[in-house]
Amino acid sequence: MASEQVVHEREQDDGDAERYAKRSRLEEPDTAGDSTEDLTNTEGSIAHQHVLPPSHGLLGIPLPVVSGDAAMKFLETDVGISEYIGRGVPKIEGIIKQRFTDFLVYEIDQDSNIIHLKSIDKPESSKESGAKPEAKTEKTDGDVVMQETEEKATKQSEAPEETVSEEASTSGLNAKGTAKDDEPWPEHFTTTLSSFLSESTITDVKKMYLEGPEPPRISDNGWASRPARTESPSDEANVIPEPVQEESEKAEKGKRGRDRGRGGRGGRGGRGRGGGREDTRRVLSDPIASKETRTTLHQTVRELFGGKLDTETDSASPASEDGSRIVIKWARRGGGRGGGRGGRGGRGGGSGGERAPRGTYPPYIHFTLQKTNRDTQDALGHLSRVLHVSVKDLSVAGTKDKRGVTVQRVSLKRNNKTVEDVWRLVNCQNARRTPHEVVSQRGERGIRIADLNYRKASLELGMLKGNAFVITLRNVKVDSEETIHAALNTVKTKGFINYYGMQRFGTASVPTHSIGLALLKSEWQKAVSLILQKRHGEHPDVARARDAWLIDGDLDKALELMPRRVVAERCLLESFKKQGGDTRNAMGALSTIPRNLRLMYIHAYQSYVWNAIVSERIRTYGADKPVVGDLVFETPETVEKMAIDDEPAEQASGHRKKSRKPYVAPRIKTLTEDDLSKYTIFDVIMPLPGTDVAYPGGALGEKYREFLRMDGLDPDNFVRKQKDYTLNGSYRAILHLPKELTWSILRYTDPDVALAQADEDQLLGFDPPAVVEDGKFLALQIDITLGTASYATMALREITKTETSSHFQTGLTSAAEDQKYRGYDAGAAEEEASEEATEEIGVAVDE
């Protein structure tokens, strides 16, 4: 059926064709070399021979089958998605994401602002007096915007610096403005620490903190004689190197000691702090008996001081009956950017090595990214290539899925780049486009950046409040408009089941959760074989590379043909090559895959089990109220903080920021009869399998354990010898209530005519969407705002009662009556080429 559709050239870019391709072959391929495991180990279960987990048998549905070269018909029910809130509301047929502009996503930042493109003009960061930026930029807290920079830097250099940098505040400390910028030791520091430390200990910590990261200089007579200094512990964030030319950098490389900033002797090296002057300052807590309290203290210090102070258990003296002591000290600073005295470039981290002069810029550039038909990691990879930086230098607050038009903020560790450099490199595509073309044509390869600002701190995952969507369903068929209103009002008042959507599991013959189960069971050879297995309908380059390895056994040819964007497969093949073609060390080969990419597979298995158990809960007890045995957080606000994806798989770089909060298990309550009146169904949570989780009470808890045992896992032991695969459990609310929900009913005739407009098109002056009042077909446009980690396609599923799997939506598109009217509107030629629904359908939002 799909072969009869017109494939539009715009969709077949090299960066995405294989990512959501369908796969067909289920048999395990042979790899060069011996296998140390039996890949067909079924543990006595016929179901185990199937690529899906053995626990699929508990779902009460037959296993999906594959016939010929067709892809496996992988449905929602195969990953535990089966129930609805409003079962009494009739079905609404509609096609999801027929066009990219049918799915618009706008990030909501921590200040509840909906992110939009505001200006596509070239920015200006000239430091000349009175210079004005060309770009329209929005001034927000923490922004250092264009011409204000020199004045601000001058004031900072003439007065004592603030003690806590804005970088620390954005890591979670002062996000709500509890501490003023000019307070070196805000009162809430003392209040927070008083829960763990005595008054005298807090006084010692304060003294050490206010002294700064450099230990005081001691004269020969033993009295402190530290010279006056204007820098503070936040110097690294506030004193920023001047953008310089590469020639200057090269000229400085030969200089040493006195010519390299404040490094003194040590030039480029300068490992550790202070060019060899050891910092022996330590503050020791009183003995703390509770391990949980000690863990919380470690976390609190890291959060409170933005990673500037470090903690460790005191190893100098053995633990007493009263407990262990905690050492608090300044965190070590390596010889990278800045690197302290003796480090490369001295305190400022400047490329030239001298102390940064006045009028320089903060170390990060934030910009707004609009991407079309590209997933987040793919877009960041593209940006890293055109900007000539590591992908680790780019950060986002949340991940957005591929199919649609999404808008979000991105931060870049800019090094020597200015906002003009970044704008030019990305939008002009390394001089392939002129500035005039940039502001008059759509961005190439679905990428547009705008609204660039200098900032003191980078973005981190989780720094958002949710996402706003504009979703258009086409070719809607319903018995009456009253049904539409009833379905949407049900979601508005009762919410929807907070399932993990289909894109969490892939759409191919090797679902990601099957690989995740193999990793959890330490079946390394099986995991390798599943990752390298051929897929139905993938990009020809990837297919040829797989054949070179799986059929011909030609490792060199496979590596030559395998595109670099196919990260996991290339990592495995490159590992085999380093081992001289020996494939027996499967665990070692897997360890070369970026950590978060491996965690993606494991998280998919967690999501599969969660979906299945939540369906069982709602099928058995309904979705109206809590029941005995349900779990809730003891602290209600914890619901907003918990999500499985503390380290999202989409951050395939594997880079983990130091300020990321360590996992701390929340306090959980199992409801009794007396508790039921105190909670609502929106308080009920369900665990994701892992360490430190409580299972529901009664029969549901036993069902949960049965699920895991059938897959060969111990429900009470998720600790692995390989720490990367030791899985922290988590919790997720079983229902999600939209923050905002409105809708409108439209009519159209030509399916190639947009019914919603992306920000970029609006700023380029393209004609707005044209609604035809007497159009032949019905469309439903939904504006919905969701919190983080919720899937918009699962809200649509509740509204339409329609399967959201890829192949089902493909069938709807190809059979849709409106396809006969393509090109009906003569003006549609100026719009983007229409899209098939053969790609991934779901949308994962900020997991």
Side-chain angles (χ1 to χ4, degrees), residues 255-276:
K255 297 188 178 182
R256 291 178 177 271
R258 58 187 175 83
D259 291 328
R260 294 189 70 96
R262 301 183 59 192
R265 296 178 65 85
R268 181 186 182 91
R271 286 184 60 84
R273 166 182 279 108

Side-chain angles (χ1 to χ4, degrees), residues 295 298-299 302-303 646 656 659-664:
T295 300
H298 288 303
Q299 176 190 8
R302 278 193 292 271
E303 292 179 21
D646 290 333
R656 179 182 175 91
S659 56
R660 292 287 290 159
K661 298 178 181 179
Y663 177 82
V664 177

Side-chain angles (χ1 to χ4, degrees), residues 663 687-695 715 728-731:
Y663 177 82
L688 292 120
T691 60
D692 301 318
V693 296
Y695 293 105
N728 282 328
S730 187
Y731 299 88

Side-chain angles (χ1 to χ4, degrees), residues 506-568:
T507 58
S509 298
V510 186
T512 52
H513 64 293
S514 296
I515 301 173
L517 178 59
L519 293 175
L520 286 172
K521 296 173 70 175
S522 301
E523 294 177 344
W524 313 122
Q525 286 286 356
K526 181 174 183 178
V528 167
S529 295
L530 289 173
I531 292 171
L532 293 175
Q533 185 171 316
K534 285 204 69 173
R535 284 91 162 105
H536 171 78
E538 66 186 342
H539 193 281
D541 289 347
V542 183
R544 285 192 292 269
R546 292 190 195 274
D547 285 343
W549 170 242
L550 298 173
I551 298 176
D552 303 332
D554 190 333
L555 184 55
D556 291 331
K557 183 178 179 182
L559 276 170
E560 179 183 351
L561 292 173
M562 187 70 75
R564 292 192 177 276
R565 63 182 177 272
V566 188
V567 177

Side-chain angles (χ1 to χ4, degrees), residues 444-561:
E444 287 196 356
R445 301 185 67 79
I447 297 292
R448 162 76 69 176
I449 71 166
D451 308 322
L452 293 85
N453 300 110
Y454 293 103
R455 296 292 296 267
K456 291 183 180 180
S458 68
L459 290 171
E460 291 190 30
L461 288 158
M463 287 184 173
L464 76 168
K465 285 194 173 179
N467 295 273
F469 301 85
V470 179
I471 303 170
T472 305
L473 300 180
R474 291 178 181 260
N475 199 34
V476 172
K477 295 182 178 179
V478 63
D479 57 3
S480 67
E481 288 191 8
E482 286 71 23
T483 296
I484 293 177
H485 298 310
L488 284 153
N489 278 315
T490 296
V491 172
K492 189 172 185 176
T493 57
K494 296 184 178 181
F496 59 94
I497 304 173
N498 203 16
Y499 286 128
Y500 289 97
M502 291 297 290
Q503 68 278 16
R504 185 76 162 183
F505 311 99
T507 58
S509 298
V510 186
T512 52
H513 64 293
S514 296
I515 301 173
L517 178 59
L519 293 175
L520 286 172
K521 296 173 70 175
S522 301
E523 294 177 344
W524 313 122
Q525 286 286 356
K526 181 174 183 178
V528 167
S529 295
L530 289 173
I531 292 171
L532 293 175
Q533 185 171 316
K534 285 204 69 173
R535 284 91 162 105
H536 171 78
E538 66 186 342
H539 193 281
D541 289 347
V542 183
R544 285 192 292 269
R546 292 190 195 274
D547 285 343
W549 170 242
L550 298 173
I551 298 176
D552 303 332
D554 190 333
L555 184 55
D556 291 331
K557 183 178 179 182
L559 276 170
E560 179 183 351
L561 292 173

Side-chain angles (χ1 to χ4, degrees), residues 534-844:
K534 285 204 69 173
R535 284 91 162 105
H536 171 78
E538 66 186 342
H539 193 281
D541 289 347
V542 183
R544 285 192 292 269
R546 292 190 195 274
D547 285 343
W549 170 242
L550 298 173
I551 298 176
D552 303 332
D554 190 333
L555 184 55
D556 291 331
K557 183 178 179 182
L559 276 170
E560 179 183 351
L561 292 173
M562 187 70 75
R564 292 192 177 276
R565 63 182 177 272
V566 188
V567 177
E569 287 84 343
R570 278 199 66 90
C571 286
L572 294 176
L573 295 176
E574 286 170 354
S575 177
F576 294 160
K577 185 172 178 63
K578 289 179 181 178
Q579 299 299 320
D582 191 341
T583 65
R584 288 175 294 180
N585 186 11
M587 184 183 75
L590 287 164
S591 69
T592 65
I593 299 174
R595 180 172 181 267
N596 283 332
L597 197 52
R598 283 176 279 142
L599 289 181
M600 176 190 71
Y601 302 127
I602 297 176
H603 287 166
Y605 178 77
Q606 285 181 302
S607 305
Y608 156 71
V609 175
W610 190 92
N611 281 354
I613 299 302
V614 167
S615 288
E616 182 74 16
R617 157 64 175 83
I618 291 175
R619 185 163 50 245
T620 305
Y621 303 108
D624 297 322
K625 58 185 179 181
V627 298
V628 173
D630 277 339
L631 303 180
V632 298
F633 290 120
E634 283 193 0
T635 307
E637 56 267 23
T638 311
V639 176
E640 295 295 326
K641 300 177 182 178
M642 290 299 297
I644 178 174
D645 291 326
D646 290 333
E647 300 172 280
E650 291 79 357
Q651 288 291 100
S653 65
H655 181 57
R656 179 182 175 91
K657 293 185 178 295
K658 292 181 180 179
S659 56
R660 292 287 290 159
K661 298 178 181 179
Y663 177 82
V664 177
R667 291 169 112 33
I668 302 299
K669 182 180 184 64
T670 303
L671 296 185
T672 64
E673 193 71 42
D674 294 337
D675 297 320
L676 298 183
S677 61
K678 304 173 186 177
Y679 297 92
T680 72
I681 189 64
F682 295 107
D683 296 315
V684 177
I685 57 176
M686 190 67 69
L688 292 120
T691 60
D692 301 318
V693 296
Y695 293 105
L700 189 62
E702 183 51 41
K703 184 78 170 181
Y704 203 133
R705 292 172 179 275
E706 180 186 3
F707 227 85
L708 297 173
R709 283 193 290 262
M710 191 165 184
D711 284 336
L713 300 174
D714 181 349
D716 301 309
N717 182 15
F718 279 90
V719 176
R720 300 293 182 265
K721 292 180 180 179
Q722 295 74 28
K723 292 184 179 180
D724 278 357
Y725 304 109
T726 292
L727 195 59
N728 282 328
S730 187
Y731 299 88
R732 179 178 174 92
I734 67 173
L735 299 186
H736 187 81
L737 190 67
K739 297 179 180 179
E740 300 286 342
L741 177 59
T742 60
W743 59 92
S744 58
I745 297 172
L746 312 174
R747 300 203 72 87
Y748 72 99
T749 299
D750 188 346
D752 286 345
V753 174
L755 298 178
Q757 190 172 43
D759 286 350
E760 181 186 37
D761 289 356
Q762 184 176 357
L763 292 173
L764 289 171
F766 289 5
D767 292 336
V771 177
V772 182
E773 293 185 1
D774 59 347
K776 297 179 179 296
F777 305 104
L778 194 69
L780 174 62
Q781 195 163 89
I782 302 168
D783 291 67
I784 186 170
T785 301
L786 301 177
T788 58
S790 292
Y791 286 67
T793 45
M794 293 297 97
L796 293 178
R797 173 184 178 275
E798 179 65 44
I799 293 168
T800 62
K801 309 299 186 296
T802 300
E803 173 85 26
T804 61
S805 61
S806 178
H807 79 88
F808 184 86
Q809 288 289 324
T810 298
L812 288 181
T813 299
S814 60
E817 188 179 354
D818 64 359
Q819 299 303 298
K820 301 175 184 178
Y821 291 85
R822 287 184 180 273
Y824 183 86
D825 187 332
E830 296 181 3
E831 299 297 329
E832 64 179 304
S834 61
E835 305 89 6
E836 293 183 346
T838 56
E839 302 175 62
E840 178 62 27
I841 292 297
V843 56

Side-chain angles (χ1 to χ4, degrees), residues 132-144:
K132 300 290 184 182
E134 292 180 17
K136 299 175 182 177
T137 57
E138 183 178 8
K139 183 177 176 182
T140 60
D141 292 340
D143 280 337
V144 181

Side-chain angles (χ1 to χ4, degrees), residues 63-114:
L63 287 163
V65 296
V66 178
S67 57
D69 288 334
M72 180 171 65
K73 292 185 177 181
F74 190 57
L75 299 175
E76 290 176 344
T77 50
D78 291 312
V79 290
I81 302 172
S82 62
E83 303 305 306
Y84 295 98
I85 301 294
R87 281 200 173 272
V89 180
K91 180 178 180 180
I92 301 173
E93 285 191 9
I95 300 174
I96 302 172
K97 298 184 181 182
Q98 190 177 68
R99 298 175 52 83
F100 298 141
T101 52
D102 288 348
F103 208 94
L104 305 179
V105 186
Y106 303 98
E107 190 169 82
I108 301 174
D109 67 17
Q110 289 183 306
D111 295 322
S112 300
N113 299 311
I114 299 177

